[in-house]
Short mmCIF file of all heavy atoms in Angstrom, two decimals:
data_model
loop_
_atom_site.label_atom_id
_atom_site.label_comp_id
_atom_site.label_asym_id
_atom_site.label_seq_id
_atom_site.Cartn_x
_atom_site.Cartn_y
_atom_site.Cartn_z
N LEU A 1 0.85 -1.15 -0.05
CA LEU A 1 -0.04 0.04 0.00
C LEU A 1 0.93 1.23 0.05
O LEU A 1 1.58 1.51 0.98
CB LEU A 1 -0.93 0.04 1.24
CG LEU A 1 -1.90 1.27 1.32
CD1 LEU A 1 -2.82 1.27 0.14
CD2 LEU A 1 -2.65 1.22 2.63
N GLN A 2 0.95 1.91 -1.11
CA GLN A 2 1.67 3.15 -1.18
C GLN A 2 0.71 4.25 -0.83
O GLN A 2 -0.37 4.47 -1.44
CB GLN A 2 2.15 3.39 -2.67
CG GLN A 2 2.91 4.71 -2.83
CD GLN A 2 4.21 4.73 -2.12
OE1 GLN A 2 4.98 3.77 -2.07
NE2 GLN A 2 4.50 5.89 -1.42
N MET A 3 1.12 5.05 0.14
CA MET A 3 0.33 6.18 0.68
C MET A 3 1.09 7.48 0.51
O MET A 3 2.17 7.63 1.02
CB MET A 3 0.04 5.89 2.09
CG MET A 3 -0.65 4.56 2.46
SD MET A 3 -1.17 4.46 4.15
CE MET A 3 0.43 4.39 4.98
N ASN A 4 0.49 8.35 -0.21
CA ASN A 4 1.09 9.73 -0.42
C ASN A 4 0.20 10.80 0.06
O ASN A 4 -0.96 10.63 0.31
CB ASN A 4 1.25 9.89 -1.90
CG ASN A 4 2.24 8.84 -2.50
OD1 ASN A 4 3.17 8.38 -1.92
ND2 ASN A 4 1.91 8.47 -3.80
N GLY A 5 0.77 12.01 0.37
CA GLY A 5 -0.02 13.05 0.82
C GLY A 5 -0.73 12.82 2.10
O GLY A 5 -1.92 13.15 2.26
N LEU A 6 -0.08 12.28 3.04
CA LEU A 6 -0.68 11.70 4.28
C LEU A 6 -1.19 12.90 5.07
O LEU A 6 -0.53 13.99 5.21
CB LEU A 6 0.22 10.86 5.09
CG LEU A 6 0.42 9.44 4.47
CD1 LEU A 6 1.60 8.73 5.04
CD2 LEU A 6 -0.88 8.61 4.78
N GLN A 7 -2.38 12.67 5.69
CA GLN A 7 -3.06 13.68 6.50
C GLN A 7 -3.21 13.17 7.95
O GLN A 7 -3.26 11.93 8.11
CB GLN A 7 -4.40 14.07 5.86
CG GLN A 7 -4.39 14.47 4.45
CD GLN A 7 -3.68 15.75 4.25
OE1 GLN A 7 -3.92 16.67 5.03
NE2 GLN A 7 -2.87 15.84 3.27
N PRO A 8 -3.45 13.94 8.97
CA PRO A 8 -3.57 13.49 10.27
C PRO A 8 -4.80 12.56 10.36
O PRO A 8 -4.79 11.58 11.24
CB PRO A 8 -3.95 14.72 11.08
CG PRO A 8 -3.16 15.77 10.35
CD PRO A 8 -3.26 15.40 8.86
N GLU A 9 -5.79 12.69 9.54
CA GLU A 9 -6.92 11.80 9.55
C GLU A 9 -6.62 10.43 9.05
O GLU A 9 -7.44 9.52 9.08
CB GLU A 9 -8.15 12.42 8.81
CG GLU A 9 -7.86 12.81 7.46
CD GLU A 9 -7.51 14.28 7.36
OE1 GLU A 9 -6.91 14.81 8.30
OE2 GLU A 9 -7.83 14.90 6.34
N ASP A 10 -5.45 10.22 8.41
CA ASP A 10 -5.04 8.88 8.08
C ASP A 10 -4.43 8.08 9.09
O ASP A 10 -4.06 6.90 8.97
CB ASP A 10 -4.00 9.01 6.86
CG ASP A 10 -4.58 9.66 5.61
OD1 ASP A 10 -5.78 9.30 5.25
OD2 ASP A 10 -3.91 10.52 5.03
N THR A 11 -4.25 8.71 10.29
CA THR A 11 -3.73 7.96 11.43
C THR A 11 -4.66 6.86 11.86
O THR A 11 -5.78 7.10 12.06
CB THR A 11 -3.54 8.99 12.65
OG1 THR A 11 -2.50 9.96 12.32
CG2 THR A 11 -3.15 8.24 13.88
N ALA A 12 -4.04 5.73 11.91
CA ALA A 12 -4.83 4.48 12.18
C ALA A 12 -3.95 3.26 12.16
O ALA A 12 -2.79 3.35 11.84
CB ALA A 12 -5.96 4.29 11.10
N VAL A 13 -4.56 2.13 12.62
CA VAL A 13 -3.90 0.88 12.44
C VAL A 13 -4.36 0.33 11.11
O VAL A 13 -5.55 0.25 10.88
CB VAL A 13 -4.23 -0.11 13.55
CG1 VAL A 13 -3.57 -1.44 13.32
CG2 VAL A 13 -3.74 0.45 14.90
N TYR A 14 -3.44 -0.08 10.30
CA TYR A 14 -3.72 -0.58 8.97
C TYR A 14 -3.59 -2.08 8.93
O TYR A 14 -2.50 -2.61 9.32
CB TYR A 14 -2.78 0.04 7.93
CG TYR A 14 -3.15 1.53 7.66
CD1 TYR A 14 -2.92 2.53 8.59
CD2 TYR A 14 -3.75 1.82 6.40
CE1 TYR A 14 -3.31 3.83 8.28
CE2 TYR A 14 -4.12 3.17 6.11
CZ TYR A 14 -3.91 4.10 7.05
OH TYR A 14 -4.31 5.45 6.84
N TYR A 15 -4.61 -2.68 8.41
CA TYR A 15 -4.62 -4.20 8.35
C TYR A 15 -4.73 -4.64 6.94
O TYR A 15 -5.41 -4.07 6.09
CB TYR A 15 -5.93 -4.72 9.08
CG TYR A 15 -5.95 -4.40 10.53
CD1 TYR A 15 -6.65 -3.24 10.95
CD2 TYR A 15 -5.47 -5.23 11.53
CE1 TYR A 15 -6.74 -2.91 12.26
CE2 TYR A 15 -5.55 -4.90 12.88
CZ TYR A 15 -6.21 -3.75 13.21
OH TYR A 15 -6.33 -3.42 14.55
N CYS A 16 -4.02 -5.77 6.63
CA CYS A 16 -4.25 -6.43 5.43
C CYS A 16 -5.13 -7.62 5.60
O CYS A 16 -5.16 -8.16 6.71
CB CYS A 16 -2.91 -6.75 4.66
SG CYS A 16 -1.98 -8.08 5.45
N ALA A 17 -5.83 -7.99 4.53
CA ALA A 17 -6.80 -9.04 4.64
C ALA A 17 -6.90 -9.80 3.38
O ALA A 17 -6.58 -9.32 2.30
CB ALA A 17 -8.20 -8.45 5.00
N ALA A 18 -7.14 -11.12 3.49
CA ALA A 18 -7.25 -12.02 2.35
C ALA A 18 -8.58 -12.78 2.34
O ALA A 18 -9.09 -13.18 3.33
CB ALA A 18 -6.10 -13.04 2.46
N SER A 19 -8.96 -13.06 1.04
CA SER A 19 -10.16 -13.77 0.88
C SER A 19 -10.02 -14.78 -0.27
O SER A 19 -9.32 -14.48 -1.23
CB SER A 19 -11.31 -12.86 0.49
OG SER A 19 -12.45 -13.53 0.19
N THR A 20 -10.55 -15.96 -0.19
CA THR A 20 -10.48 -16.96 -1.17
C THR A 20 -11.47 -16.66 -2.33
O THR A 20 -11.28 -17.17 -3.42
CB THR A 20 -10.75 -18.34 -0.61
OG1 THR A 20 -11.95 -18.38 0.10
CG2 THR A 20 -9.59 -18.82 0.28
N PHE A 21 -12.55 -15.97 -1.98
CA PHE A 21 -13.47 -15.70 -3.06
C PHE A 21 -14.33 -14.48 -2.70
O PHE A 21 -14.90 -14.38 -1.61
CB PHE A 21 -14.47 -16.81 -3.36
CG PHE A 21 -15.52 -16.49 -4.36
CD1 PHE A 21 -15.22 -16.39 -5.69
CD2 PHE A 21 -16.76 -16.17 -3.92
CE1 PHE A 21 -16.22 -16.00 -6.63
CE2 PHE A 21 -17.84 -15.81 -4.83
CZ PHE A 21 -17.46 -15.75 -6.14
N ILE A 22 -14.39 -13.50 -3.60
CA ILE A 22 -15.25 -12.34 -3.40
C ILE A 22 -15.93 -12.04 -4.76
O ILE A 22 -15.24 -12.04 -5.79
CB ILE A 22 -14.51 -11.07 -2.99
CG1 ILE A 22 -13.84 -11.33 -1.65
CG2 ILE A 22 -15.46 -9.88 -2.93
CD1 ILE A 22 -13.04 -10.14 -1.15
N PRO A 23 -17.20 -11.85 -4.83
CA PRO A 23 -17.93 -11.46 -6.09
C PRO A 23 -17.36 -10.19 -6.58
O PRO A 23 -16.92 -9.27 -5.83
CB PRO A 23 -19.40 -11.39 -5.75
CG PRO A 23 -19.52 -12.19 -4.46
CD PRO A 23 -18.25 -12.04 -3.76
N THR A 24 -17.41 -10.00 -7.95
CA THR A 24 -16.86 -8.77 -8.50
C THR A 24 -17.69 -7.61 -8.13
O THR A 24 -18.99 -7.67 -8.06
CB THR A 24 -16.98 -8.87 -10.03
OG1 THR A 24 -16.15 -10.06 -10.46
CG2 THR A 24 -16.44 -7.64 -10.73
N GLY A 25 -16.99 -6.52 -7.83
CA GLY A 25 -17.79 -5.30 -7.41
C GLY A 25 -17.17 -4.62 -6.19
O GLY A 25 -16.90 -5.37 -5.23
N ASN A 26 -17.22 -3.33 -6.17
CA ASN A 26 -16.63 -2.59 -5.04
C ASN A 26 -17.42 -2.92 -3.76
O ASN A 26 -16.82 -3.03 -2.70
CB ASN A 26 -16.68 -1.12 -5.39
CG ASN A 26 -15.75 -0.30 -4.40
OD1 ASN A 26 -14.57 -0.27 -4.66
ND2 ASN A 26 -16.36 0.32 -3.41
N PHE A 27 -18.69 -3.09 -3.91
CA PHE A 27 -19.55 -3.36 -2.68
C PHE A 27 -19.02 -4.63 -1.94
O PHE A 27 -18.94 -4.58 -0.73
CB PHE A 27 -20.99 -3.60 -3.12
CG PHE A 27 -21.84 -4.00 -1.97
CD1 PHE A 27 -22.43 -3.08 -1.09
CD2 PHE A 27 -22.16 -5.34 -1.85
CE1 PHE A 27 -23.25 -3.50 -0.02
CE2 PHE A 27 -23.02 -5.75 -0.74
CZ PHE A 27 -23.54 -4.78 0.12
N TYR A 28 -18.70 -5.59 -2.67
CA TYR A 28 -18.22 -6.88 -2.04
C TYR A 28 -16.82 -6.75 -1.54
O TYR A 28 -16.48 -7.27 -0.45
CB TYR A 28 -18.40 -8.01 -3.00
CG TYR A 28 -19.84 -8.30 -3.40
CD1 TYR A 28 -20.26 -7.87 -4.71
CD2 TYR A 28 -20.77 -8.85 -2.64
CE1 TYR A 28 -21.59 -8.01 -5.07
CE2 TYR A 28 -22.05 -9.12 -2.97
CZ TYR A 28 -22.49 -8.60 -4.18
OH TYR A 28 -23.75 -8.82 -4.51
N PHE A 29 -15.95 -6.15 -2.31
CA PHE A 29 -14.58 -6.06 -1.96
C PHE A 29 -14.45 -5.09 -0.67
O PHE A 29 -13.46 -5.21 0.02
CB PHE A 29 -13.72 -5.51 -3.06
CG PHE A 29 -13.20 -6.67 -3.96
CD1 PHE A 29 -14.03 -7.19 -4.95
CD2 PHE A 29 -11.91 -7.19 -3.86
CE1 PHE A 29 -13.62 -8.20 -5.75
CE2 PHE A 29 -11.53 -8.24 -4.68
CZ PHE A 29 -12.34 -8.74 -5.62
N ALA A 30 -15.30 -4.19 -0.51
CA ALA A 30 -15.19 -3.27 0.61
C ALA A 30 -15.75 -3.81 1.91
O ALA A 30 -15.60 -3.19 2.99
CB ALA A 30 -15.98 -1.95 0.24
N ALA A 31 -16.31 -5.00 1.84
CA ALA A 31 -17.01 -5.52 3.10
C ALA A 31 -16.05 -6.44 3.84
O ALA A 31 -15.59 -7.43 3.29
CB ALA A 31 -18.21 -6.34 2.60
N ALA A 32 -15.78 -6.02 5.11
CA ALA A 32 -14.79 -6.79 5.81
C ALA A 32 -15.17 -8.23 6.08
O ALA A 32 -14.30 -9.05 6.20
CB ALA A 32 -14.60 -6.01 7.24
N TYR A 33 -16.49 -8.53 6.15
CA TYR A 33 -16.99 -9.87 6.48
C TYR A 33 -16.65 -10.86 5.31
O TYR A 33 -16.72 -12.04 5.46
CB TYR A 33 -18.39 -9.83 6.77
CG TYR A 33 -19.31 -9.40 5.68
CD1 TYR A 33 -19.68 -10.15 4.50
CD2 TYR A 33 -19.91 -8.16 5.74
CE1 TYR A 33 -20.44 -9.67 3.53
CE2 TYR A 33 -20.75 -7.64 4.77
CZ TYR A 33 -21.03 -8.40 3.66
OH TYR A 33 -21.82 -7.96 2.66
N ASN A 34 -16.21 -10.34 4.18
CA ASN A 34 -15.87 -11.25 3.04
C ASN A 34 -14.44 -11.71 3.13
O ASN A 34 -14.01 -12.51 2.35
CB ASN A 34 -16.07 -10.56 1.75
CG ASN A 34 -17.52 -10.55 1.30
OD1 ASN A 34 -18.21 -11.55 1.58
ND2 ASN A 34 -17.96 -9.44 0.60
N TYR A 35 -13.63 -11.26 4.11
CA TYR A 35 -12.25 -11.64 4.24
C TYR A 35 -12.08 -12.61 5.41
O TYR A 35 -12.43 -12.33 6.59
CB TYR A 35 -11.36 -10.37 4.42
CG TYR A 35 -11.40 -9.54 3.19
CD1 TYR A 35 -12.42 -8.56 3.08
CD2 TYR A 35 -10.49 -9.62 2.18
CE1 TYR A 35 -12.54 -7.73 1.90
CE2 TYR A 35 -10.55 -8.86 1.08
CZ TYR A 35 -11.57 -7.95 0.92
OH TYR A 35 -11.65 -7.17 -0.16
N GLU A 36 -11.48 -13.70 5.13
CA GLU A 36 -11.28 -14.77 6.15
C GLU A 36 -10.01 -14.57 6.98
O GLU A 36 -9.95 -15.09 8.13
CB GLU A 36 -11.23 -16.21 5.51
CG GLU A 36 -12.41 -16.50 4.65
CD GLU A 36 -12.00 -16.67 3.27
OE1 GLU A 36 -11.84 -15.68 2.53
OE2 GLU A 36 -11.89 -17.81 2.73
#
């Protein structure tokens, strides 16, 4: 994850996540429950 132009509101713990299958579409990829 390349992060540029960082702002104070970007302060957080960043997690990576993996999934064996997610349907196509931003809605599904954005849902944390789809990552095992």
